[in-house]
Structures are given as C-alpha cells and as structure tokens.
Amino acid sequence: MNALAKSFAVAALAASIALPVSGGKSYAGTPSDTLVIAATIDDIVSLDPAEIFEFSGGDLAQNVYDTLVAFDPTNLSGGYVPGLAESWTISEDGTQYTFKMRPGVTFHSGNPVTAHDAAFSLQRAVILNKTPSFILTQFGFTAENVKEKIKAVDDMTLTIQTDKKYAASFVLNCLTATIGNIVDMKLVMEHEKDGDMGYEWLKTNSAGSGAYSLRGWKPNENYVLEANENYWRAKPEMKRVFVRHISESATQRLLIEKSDVDVARNLSPDDVAGLSGNDDVRIDEDLRGRIMYFALNQEHPILSKPEVREAFKWLVDYEGMSTSFLNGQYVVHQAFLPLTYLGELHDKPYKLDVDKAKALLAEAGHADGFDVKIYVRNAQERLEIAQSLQNIWAQAGIRATLEVGTGKQTLGVYRARKHEIYLGAWGPDYPDPHTNADTFAHNPDNAFEAKNTGKLAWRNAWDIPEMSKETEAAVQESDRDTRVEMYRKIQADHQKSSPFVIMLQKIEQTAIQTHITGFHTGSAVSSVYYWTVKK
C-alpha cells in the first residue's frame, strides 16, 4: 500500500469523528467527504479490465473506467445509454457499428479520450486473450484480424465490424461489460515490457477516465479510490472511497453499528435482522443477476454419469436454505438465466428427495456412495451452503470434504479443471440472455487446449455440440418472441441433463447509514456505483 493509502486507512478507521447530519444531530462516523465500505473483496485477481472477471474487480472497474456504452444508475431498467460514445450508427447489413466519441473527456492522466484509445483497448483485450476475452471474440475478432475489424477512422470516430449480423442490442450490451472499459493508450504503453501491452503494470495500477482513480490496493485487505474532479458525468461528492475486506458478517455489523463504515455489503440474515431496531441504519434490497450453483467436473469417472448428475439435483434443500440461513438474501431459482432477463424460466422441477437420489445412485452402481471434494471460497454464505450440502449428501452415502480457499485460489483450481465439485456464483457480464447461455450452455471446443476458461461448460468438461448449436442460433435470432422460446427450451434441456445444479438467485441486502443516498448496487445488469453517493 502506498503512503496515501496507509494514512487514509488510519484516518478513516481510527477514532470516530463527529459528523453533523440533518436536524442538528451529530454522532461518531466517517468523514463527510469519504465513503467507507466493508465487503468481501478477496476475489480480485487483477485490476486490468482485459482480465477482470470477478464481482469485486468489476465493482472497482465500474468506478475507475468508462465504456463506450453505459447505464444510467438511476434507471437501470431503462437499458443502455451513450457513454464515451455519444452516438452510433449501424450499417444496413447490420455488421458495421460506427461510434462518435464524446468530445472533451480526459483520462486521469490528463490525456484526451479518443477513438484511438477505444480501438487500442478493445484490440488489446482480444490480443491478450484473458478469461473474459470471449465476450469480444464471439463477434469473430482474433489477434490476427482485430486491428482491421476494430479501428479508429479519426480521433473521434471508431468502427467495429462483426463477422455477421447479430441483434444490435446484443452487440451494444456486450460493450457495457468490464472488458469494454477504455484505457489510456499512451499511459499504458509507457509501461509496456516485452510486448505485453502494459499488462503487468495494469494488473496493479489504473489508467481510466472514470469517476475515481486508484490510489492504493492491498490484495485481500483494501483498496482506496480518489475522486476525479473533472468527471464528465458528474462531480463525485465523495472525494475518497475506502473499501475494506471484511469476510465476517458479525464484524461488518459491528463496524456499521459503530459508524466506522458507511456501508456493509455481506451481512448474514441474522445480522440483518439484528440491525432492524437501529434507526441509524437501513437495509436496501436489490434483486441481482447472481446465480448460486455447484458444478460437477465431467472428467471425473463418477460425476460424469447421467444418473449421478441427476441425483445431485435431488440432494439440495432449496427451500430450507432460502428460508433459514439465507432468509431474505436468496430466492429459489433453477435456471441459468436470472429472473428479469429475456427468456427467463420460472420452472423449478427439483426439490429435496434423498430416497429418489439414492435410487439413482444405486442405478449408477454407487449404492454405497463415494468420496468427493467440494471446492468453495472462504465466504460465510458459501461455507454455510457447502455445509448444508455436505450434511444432506451424507444421507445418500456421499462423503464430501470441503476444500476451502480464497476466491483467487478456488477460481484458479476451477479454471484449470482440477476440481471435482465447485460451489460458486455466477453473474451476467452484460444484460442479454446470451451472457449466461454462452457460458452454461455453449462449449464449441471441449479440448483442454482450447482454454475456454470463460465458459463454465468448458471448465466442467461438458461436451455439448447440439446444445452449443442451439445457443449459437438463439443469439442470431432477430425476432424477440422466437428468441424467448429458444432460450426457454435450452434452459429446460439444461435443467435435465447438465452437470450444473442451479439453486438460488441473489437478493442483495445492503446495510447503509441512513444519512447516505445514491448507493446503487447495479441490480441484475451492472456493478456498484460510488459516484452517485451523497451524505
């Protein structure tokens, strides 16, 4: 951590200071120009937008960078709006998008934001070929052709040429993803080493034009952001944002009760209930796109059997979890598209039925059960879910041990296909049904060498040529109603045959000091916004 970050950490989290609020009331709290957040952020792997693919990294990038196409945080249901591109046109054949850049916008360095920066950023993401690169390469871009397909015509004009016609909303929604963030080409290339396009430097630094710049990051501990006084959308009222990694719900609750933090993002239902009588704290609820699931590696000789896959779907106490230790924070959901998305499926064909599961295991030749490992992140709700599964599976003879690690550690195992069972969450990268269909139901090349780590079907070695073709057809369908039915069919087939057991959809309960407004967590389409916050 740099000196600024260290000094701020002490200032923000040491002895409380008096903070005046409406009605003349004053109480211990954080500085009036500073937002202090308690959250679990140990899943941050990199700060490079070309690599960020985790929830916490997406939150940081949302506030440090800008995209060509964006969202209005006060009207997230209204769809995308102009971002760094103030307008765009589409060719008659539907394959060429021409963007006009917003004039007068500068990066944190002072360099102007141009179409050359936009072209470089998108080209760079394709060439580096990190985990989220598939969001762009699905349009036919490769390291070899991307400089021809995505290019700056002049300082203020960018063109993007896709390999075929897609629904325009699909293309534009993809550009709202984290990988679509525009980086400062001049600054990044000043730090290039051995042709890496600034990758090693940008993993731990920032080069954006967003509402905040990065002032310090200490992995698994905290990060500090400083306001961009010249932000083109609005001047942030919070001059600094300090996010602390606090994995324990009880500690988060204590901090917000003492007014040592303004926001607590990972409280358990018990701690949420415990704050119900606190007049200084409110609980905001937001239906997010996050899906909680577990997945069975299809390279495992037992987990790859169809009867075993189905058995696991009957070995989950869906309702029990959602009404007990997850009460108020998840709803039962069993399809890969989140509720509120085009093509959403409400069908919930599975419930807890140990006898049915045991019969399926016996049919597969495993009446006496077997041993298996569950890889799970060291986060309270996930550990509680894992323990619930562990206890239920034991009733069917499945002896599960928990392999617990940080988000980075467990993701590393998962992306390398070295897991047996992985318990995790998945959030959409852009507000179009293809975002989840492409990862849960699309695996055009199952070979390990393909390294399609952004696709969960690939991570679990699930070879699905026919379903992959159906998914490809759905994303090209221009008729909305037909497309809806295509996605519902794919999801229904997926529920029956896949190695994924989708259990729950997230309702984010956020504890916020009552004198704070404008904290938008992003609903099902985006990440958190800090620049809209006021005290």
Side-chain angles (χ1 to χ4, degrees), residues 249-254 257 266-277 283 321-329 380-381 384 509 511:
S249 171
T251 305
Q252 288 196 19
R253 174 184 169 185
L254 178 63
E257 286 179 325
N266 307 101
L267 295 178
S268 69
D270 286 344
D271 285 319
V272 168
L275 290 169
S276 61
I283 303 297
M321 288 192 296
S322 67
T323 58
S324 58
F325 62 87
L326 296 176
N327 186 35
Q329 299 193 338
Q380 183 172 337
E381 66 179 13
E384 289 178 334
Q509 293 183 305

Side-chain angles (χ1 to χ4, degrees), residues 268-287:
S268 69
D270 286 344
D271 285 319
V272 168
L275 290 169
S276 61
N278 190 327
D279 293 336
D280 295 325
V281 179
R282 72 176 186 274
I283 303 297
D284 286 357
E285 295 189 350
D286 195 14
L287 180 64

Side-chain angles (χ1 to χ4, degrees), residues 2 44-49 51 60 65 198-207 214-219 408:
N2 60 28
I44 297 179
V45 175
S46 171
L47 303 186
D48 188 335
E51 188 172 33
L60 186 152
Y65 292 93
Y199 168 66
E200 285 298 328
W201 180 79
L202 205 52
K203 285 176 68 175
T204 56
N205 292 277
S206 71
L214 179 70
R215 301 301 297 164
W217 172 48
K218 191 167 185 179
K408 182 176 180 179

Side-chain angles (χ1 to χ4, degrees), residues 2 17 22 92 100 171-172 187 227 324 337 476-477 498 501:
N2 60 28
I17 63 173
S22 60
E92 288 188 11
K100 290 295 183 180
V171 177
L172 296 170
L187 179 61
S324 58
L337 286 183
Q476 296 175 47
E477 177 57 53
S498 81
V501 182

Side-chain angles (χ1 to χ4, degrees), residues 294 311-321 334 350-354 357 385 388-389 392-393 501-504:
F294 64 87
F312 274 104
K313 295 171 186 179
W314 297 102
L315 288 174
V316 180
D317 190 4
Y318 304 93
E319 292 292 343
M321 288 192 296
Q334 296 179 357
Y350 299 103
K351 61 182 180 181
L352 177 60
D353 192 331
V354 176
I385 293 171
S388 172
L389 296 174
I392 291 170
W393 295 356
V501 182
I502 297 168
M503 303 177 287
L504 305 153

